[in-house]
Amino acid sequence: MSLASAFGFGPRVRYAIVGLGDIAQEALMPGVSHTGNSTITALVSDDPEKLRALGERYGVEHLYPYERFGELLASGEIDAVYIATPNWRHAEFAIPALKAGIHVLCEKPLEISAAKCREIIAASETSGAKLMTAYRLHFEPATLDAIRRIRDGELGELIAFSSCFAQMVDPANHRATSGIEAGPLFDMAPYPINAIRYLFGAEPVEVVSAIGTRHPAAGVGDFDDTVAVTLRMPGDRFAQFTVSYFANDIDTLVVAGTKGSIQMSPCYGFQNGLEQRRQVGSDKAHEAFRATDQFGGELRYFSDAILNDTSVEPDGEEGLADLVVIEAIVEALTTKGRVAIERVERARRIDPTAQEQKLRPVSAPEPVNASSPSRD
């Protein structure tokens, strides 16, 4: 398949954006111009007004409703898709795209079950089309710096992790009324779970406890608006996190070892640069990292892998590894007991040096009339 060239700047991967909610509009689509190797050639949504308005804004001619997605795949107009639909509609678009030889960059969580994740992975393996889970923090400087310090032994042996991630979700937002699969456990918990895995460089082995609560004033549907979890890591180390749709905005984490600790706050956002407070022994330091276009960075990385036929690091199995943890947490919430986590072997983890080469030191895009991101 030939790749489009634009204005003489070299080959560019042609993308369709599938799902035109806030995350696509606010972050991914503005980030395309920062990549140098990517372009938008098609948009897919069941909202004709979004299609018209965004088509005009970005000069995109090929506009498709969801029901004509198959026509798009056969059109020859695209090389890859970015999927930002609601969580439970990822496989619906990822699998036919991969089967058609179209590369897929899919928002997290990869899907809402490990079984669906495996179906997506299988489609990629069969066709040879590339699959990447859109973990943008794998391309963010404060995150990569923390991973490097831990691997270099600066914190000693890691002992514990704690995180709080919360936002006040509007009851009118579809995430408040679409069940547990749109709630904080599937929507927000992938961030601390993924952070636990990349900071420890290991997979959780057990859900020690999971407690959920429902605040009537939160105005959400029939699911827990706040969930607190304790995971056991290899070597009897522990990781804890709380996610909530009914607390004021916060995203913070602390990872502590025998020699030192790193606190990051903010730690999961993309509008501003992230920050670290470090202590090694009695020495303390604070560092504010430059803001980078995390979405542009991940897209540039994925396009580079397509153009040069190289493997990607946050692949489908990286998404699967988080889903098996989430499924165990769901079981623990139901049984009120400890639950063993299915083992997903990861042969490849983040290479901070390689990922840093893809960073784009540009200001984050301006928000698009939304207090919290949603999907199409």
Side-chain angles (χ1 to χ4, degrees), residues 89-108:
R89 300 195 70 177
H90 289 177
E92 175 185 348
F93 297 100
I95 291 173
L98 291 164
K99 286 183 176 180
I102 302 297
H103 308 288
V104 171
L105 174 62
C106 186
E107 268 302 333
K108 58 87 214 147

Side-chain angles (χ1 to χ4, degrees), residues 83 85-95 106-120 133 135 181 186-187 190 316 319-320 322-324 326-327:
I83 298 175
T85 59
N87 301 336
W88 53 91
R89 300 195 70 177
H90 289 177
E92 175 185 348
F93 297 100
I95 291 173
C106 186
E107 268 302 333
K108 58 87 214 147
L110 184 57
E111 245 289 349
I112 60 170
S113 72
K116 283 291 187 181
C117 288
R118 288 190 170 93
E119 288 182 34
I120 297 173
T133 309
Y135 285 115
E181 293 86 359
F186 283 81
D187 183 57
L320 171 64
D322 287 341
L323 252 296
V324 298
I326 290 173
E327 286 189 331

Side-chain angles (χ1 to χ4, degrees), residues 260-340:
S261 62
I262 296 175
Q263 176 185 349
M264 294 181 62
S265 183
C267 61
Y268 304 128
F270 62 87
Q271 293 292 353
N272 301 297
L274 306 189
E275 299 186 32
Q276 291 182 6
R277 294 186 183 277
R278 301 186 295 268
Q279 180 168 340
V280 177
S282 59
D283 296 332
K284 297 181 180 181
H286 169 256
E287 186 171 359
F289 289 74
R290 72 185 189 279
T292 62
D293 181 355
Q294 298 170 26
F295 288 84
E298 71 178 354
L299 193 66
R300 181 188 181 202
Y301 173 92
F302 189 53
S303 293
D304 182 75
I306 294 170
L307 292 167
N308 295 292
D309 194 22
T310 56
S311 61
V312 296
E313 176 270 314
D315 55 12
E317 285 191 348
E318 182 71 1
L320 171 64
D322 287 341
L323 252 296
V324 298
V325 178
I326 290 173
E327 286 189 331
I329 293 169
V330 172
E331 183 179 345
L333 287 169
T334 302
T335 64
K336 311 300 182 185
R338 300 162 78 108
V339 176

Side-chain angles (χ1 to χ4, degrees), residues 48-362:
E49 178 56 30
K50 285 182 181 179
L51 284 173
R52 183 198 63 77
L54 291 169
E56 290 181 1
R57 182 187 303 176
Y58 288 94
V60 179
E61 176 184 357
H62 306 297
L63 310 175
Y64 290 82
Y66 287 145
E67 64 186 18
R68 293 179 54 207
F69 185 64
E71 294 178 39
L72 170 62
L73 297 179
S75 69
E77 296 161 359
I78 62 170
D79 308 301
V81 296
Y82 166 72
I83 298 175
T85 59
N87 301 336
W88 53 91
R89 300 195 70 177
H90 289 177
E92 175 185 348
F93 297 100
I95 291 173
L98 291 164
K99 286 183 176 180
I102 302 297
H103 308 288
V104 171
L105 174 62
C106 186
E107 268 302 333
K108 58 87 214 147
L110 184 57
E111 245 289 349
I112 60 170
S113 72
K116 283 291 187 181
C117 288
R118 288 190 170 93
E119 288 182 34
I120 297 173
I121 293 168
S124 172
E125 291 175 343
T126 299
S127 71
K130 297 185 188 301
L131 168 65
M132 179 168 138
T133 309
Y135 285 115
R136 54 182 169 76
L137 292 170
H138 289 217
F139 306 90
E140 189 285 317
T143 300
L144 296 176
D145 181 79
I147 295 169
R148 181 185 297 104
R149 290 177 184 278
I150 290 169
R151 290 186 184 174
D152 288 347
E154 188 171 310
L155 304 190
E157 179 186 353
L158 293 191
I159 300 298
F161 170 101
S162 180
S163 179
C164 187
F165 189 21
Q167 59 183 310
M168 189 73 69
V169 170
D170 186 343
N173 189 293
H174 84 85
R175 292 179 299 166
T177 58
S178 298
I180 188 174
E181 293 86 359
L185 185 56
F186 283 81
D187 183 57
M188 302 179 74
Y191 289 97
I193 292 171
N194 203 247
I196 289 163
R197 294 180 47 252
Y198 61 62
L199 292 174
F200 278 86
E203 303 302 313
V205 297
E206 182 184 41
V207 179
V208 176
S209 68
I211 302 172
T213 188
R214 305 180 185 190
H215 300 90
V220 302
D222 188 24
F223 61 86
D224 296 323
D225 58 77
T226 303
V227 178
V229 177
T230 299
L231 302 176
R232 183 166 61 85
M233 302 299 294
D236 285 328
R237 300 171 294 174
F238 290 93
Q240 300 171 306
F241 67 85
T242 300
V243 289
S244 178
Y245 274 1
F246 193 55
N248 192 50
D249 288 0
I250 184 172
D251 63 309
T252 184
L253 68 79
V254 177
V255 59
T258 55
K259 294 181 180 179
S261 62
I262 296 175
Q263 176 185 349
M264 294 181 62
S265 183
C267 61
Y268 304 128
F270 62 87
Q271 293 292 353
N272 301 297
L274 306 189
E275 299 186 32
Q276 291 182 6
R277 294 186 183 277
R278 301 186 295 268
Q279 180 168 340
V280 177
S282 59
D283 296 332
K284 297 181 180 181
H286 169 256
E287 186 171 359
F289 289 74
R290 72 185 189 279
T292 62
D293 181 355
Q294 298 170 26
F295 288 84
E298 71 178 354
L299 193 66
R300 181 188 181 202
Y301 173 92
F302 189 53
S303 293
D304 182 75
I306 294 170
L307 292 167
N308 295 292
D309 194 22
T310 56
S311 61
V312 296
E313 176 270 314
D315 55 12
E317 285 191 348
E318 182 71 1
L320 171 64
D322 287 341
L323 252 296
V324 298
V325 178
I326 290 173
E327 286 189 331
I329 293 169
V330 172
E331 183 179 345
L333 287 169
T334 302
T335 64
K336 311 300 182 185
R338 300 162 78 108
V339 176
I341 298 171
E342 178 186 354
R343 179 74 176 176
V344 174
E345 296 290 345
R346 294 296 290 129
R348 185 178 183 186
R349 297 188 186 274
I350 299 174
D351 180 343
T353 300
Q355 307 298 62
E356 275 190 331
Q357 295 173 2
K358 306 301 179 183
L359 299 180
R360 308 300 285 175
V362 298

